[in-house]
Amino acid sequence: MSKFPNNGIVVVSPEQCAMPKNQVTDLQSRGLTVGESSDKDAMLDREVLYVNRFQKERFADASMVDQFIKEFVITSQDLIEHDAVKHVLDPLPRVGELDTKIDSMKQAAYFEQSDQRRTGEDDPSPFVRKTCVALSSTPMSGLPVTK
């Protein structure tokens, strides 16, 4: 994304799961505008919404994850109320981060995203996923990480 002018991302997560500052600084040094928020509504005014699951295996206390899922789940009502969202992407499998009612909505692009991976078409989603994995591969500050 940083190869093209005027691109930016907003990373939305609970404060306890915030992106490490050195990663934010690295992205900014590449010319990407990076915003951070712990408010779910901050992601609902974006044209493209890339959602990922909370990875229970990365938390020592799984009950924390259950609370985050309840707070940050994207519902069909969210998309109806926030018409800025044109495309919803998810690396699948879905684990509670998206309401299944979204599947039949025009914004749901994750099945198409998955089909492109199977057909071998030119698809940028593997690069987006690799970036997300690389950015999330370091332990989240302040949280105990299970091995």
Side-chain angles (χ1 to χ4, degrees):
M1 286 180 54
S2 64
K3 293 183 186 263
F4 303 98
N6 304 317
N7 274 324
I9 62 171
V10 176
V11 179
V12 179
S13 67
E15 289 179 17
Q16 301 91 325
C17 300
M19 183 181 282
K21 294 297 175 203
N22 65 323
Q23 291 177 347
V24 172
T25 302
D26 180 58
L27 291 172
Q28 291 170 332
S29 73
R30 297 167 192 251
L32 195 62
T33 303
V34 180
E36 296 180 272
S37 179
S38 59
D39 180 7
K40 173 183 164 181
D41 285 342
M43 69 178 134
L44 295 170
D45 67 352
R46 304 284 139 193
E47 187 173 327
V48 177
L49 180 58
Y50 189 93
V51 183
N52 201 354
R53 69 182 176 91
F54 282 102
Q55 300 168 350
K56 287 186 178 187
E57 62 273 13
R58 296 189 67 201
F59 292 83
D61 182 0
S63 67
M64 291 175 68
V65 178
D66 294 336
Q67 172 60 34
F68 295 155
I69 289 172
K70 288 177 189 171
E71 186 177 340
F72 286 89
V73 65
I74 305 299
T75 67
S76 57
Q77 192 62 35
D78 289 331
L79 298 182
I80 291 167
E81 293 173 5
H82 297 84
D83 62 352
V85 177
K86 305 299 182 209
H87 307 282
V88 178
L89 300 171
D90 187 293
L92 300 175
R94 169 181 36 214
V95 185
E97 70 277 10
L98 293 174
D99 179 357
T100 57
K101 291 179 184 174
I102 295 173
D103 294 354
S104 61
M105 297 178 76
K106 64 182 179 186
Q107 295 96 325
Y110 36 89
F111 294 127
E112 179 182 331
Q113 172 189 6
S114 178
D115 285 345
Q116 287 176 340
R117 285 196 309 270
R118 283 196 299 273
T119 62
E121 293 179 24
D122 224 3
D123 177 20
S125 61
F127 302 108
V128 173
R129 267 191 307 287
K130 286 178 184 179
T131 301
C132 290
V133 168
L135 292 173
S136 65
S137 64
T138 57
M140 292 177 260
S141 60
L143 291 175
V145 178
T146 57
K147 299 282 180 184

